Structure formats: structure tokens, C-alpha cells
Amino acid sequence: MIIAVDGPTASGKGTISKALAAHFGLPHLDTGLLYRAVGRQTFLDGGDPDNAEDALAACGFPDKLLADASLRSEVIGGMASKVSVHPKVRQTLFERQRAFAEQEGGAVLDGRDIGTVIAPDADVKLFVTASVEARAARRYAEMKERGEDVLLEVIAEDLRQRDERDRTRAEAPLVAASDAYVLDTSTLGRDEAIAAAIEAVEQAV
Ligand code: DC
């Protein structure tokens, strides 16, 4: 069984995907991490994430970079969003994601274009979303807990900009597949969102 989970930043799709993978005994790939690694490698190489050639060159990042905790930062998230605009970067990362989706027994993948481009044949497609306010409040709480000094309005503005870039890019924009189940987590707690996702998968298969 292939489960595709798409949605904007901080919608809860990562938490939901991990929980679905554990519940159904499937391997999980956070595809955003691949774009984050390209963004980070572009920076390490002294390149510009808006430049297609620089970003393409960074697609050969070493695998060990995927385990680097710095990839989770907001700054790297912004760079990932920039490098993900380039069609050649998306093509280069396509095979790796497709191979993961096609492995025997199935898989859970989360990202922006899993249900539309990487695995349009997925058995279940979820589009996890939430209001900017709800997502910003979650991100703010996470960052405060890590001891980071942040402003709620700055986070909200950053999310709006990233959403805009992800939704309006020409190649594989962030959009719900026509056959996706839309799960709005704005008013749901973590456990409620996970339970709703498990139920949606069970009903779909
Ligand atoms: O899910 P995330 O915040 O880790 O993703 C970081 C960026 O990577 C996101 O802003 C857009 C890009 N991305 C993408 O274009 N396609 C994917 N399948 C996953 C992420």
C-alpha cells in the first residue's frame, strides 16, 4: 500500500505520516528533507538557492547530510522552498522518491507533490492542511520550547511567503490531488489528527 501525504509547512503532515507508517507497519520518507539537504548543500557550496545551476549542483549532497539536525531550521526550510522551484532539481530527486514509493510492501511518503507527481497511483492520498494562524502558533510553540527567540508574526509571514512560493511555482505546485482526502487540522489536537488520518486510510482501502 502506498500512502501519499501532502500539505503545506507545519500542517501536521510529518507527524501524521510518521504515525501512519508506525500504525500500518510501512517505511516512511519525508521528501521535504531531500529539498532541505539541497538547500543546505547549496549554501555550503557558496551558491545561490535561486540559481538553478547552483541548486542542481547541490543535488549530489552526501547522504549523511540527511541526518543533520540543522536541516530542520526555518532558514533551511526557506532555502528548500527556493531550490524546489527549479524543474531540474525536481527531476533529479524524482527517481529516488519513486523508488522508495515502489518498494515491495508499500510506503508512506510526505511532501507537496506525492499524490500528484511522485505517486499518482497511490492507494490513499491525504492532503493535510490548517490555517496560517494555527500553523504559525504550532511552529512558535515548538521553537519556544527549543529556547529560540522568535516572534509569532514573523513566523506567520514566513509561512505565508513559503505557501505562496510552493503554490504558485510552475512545476509540481502544492495542490491537493483531485482524489485526495482533505484533512484540516486547524482545530484538532495531535492525537485527534492522527486518529482522523488512520480512519481516512482505513475507509479508503
Ligand atoms: O515539508 P518541508 O517544510 O520540509 O519542505 C521544505 C520545502 O521543500 C518546501 O517549502 C517545498 C519543498 N518540497 C517540495 O517542493 N516538494 C516536496 N515533495 C517536499 C518539499
Side-chain angles (χ1 to χ4, degrees), residues 74 78 153-163:
E74 294 302 296
E153 193 37 53
V154 172
I155 298 176
E157 186 47 35
D158 182 58
L159 286 179
R160 278 189 206 101
Q161 280 180 16
R162 226 185 298 168
D163 284 358

Side-chain angles (χ1 to χ4, degrees), residues 1-6 20 24 107-109 114-115 119-127 179-181 197-205:
M1 170 166 70
I2 300 176
I3 303 178
V5 184
D6 291 303
L20 287 175
F24 293 103
V108 180
L109 290 89
I114 309 302
D121 53 342
D123 301 277
V124 189
K125 298 178 187 177
L126 297 184
F127 190 82
D179 51 350
Y181 174 87
I198 291 174
E199 197 184 326
V201 171
E202 279 170 348
Q203 283 185 1
V205 292

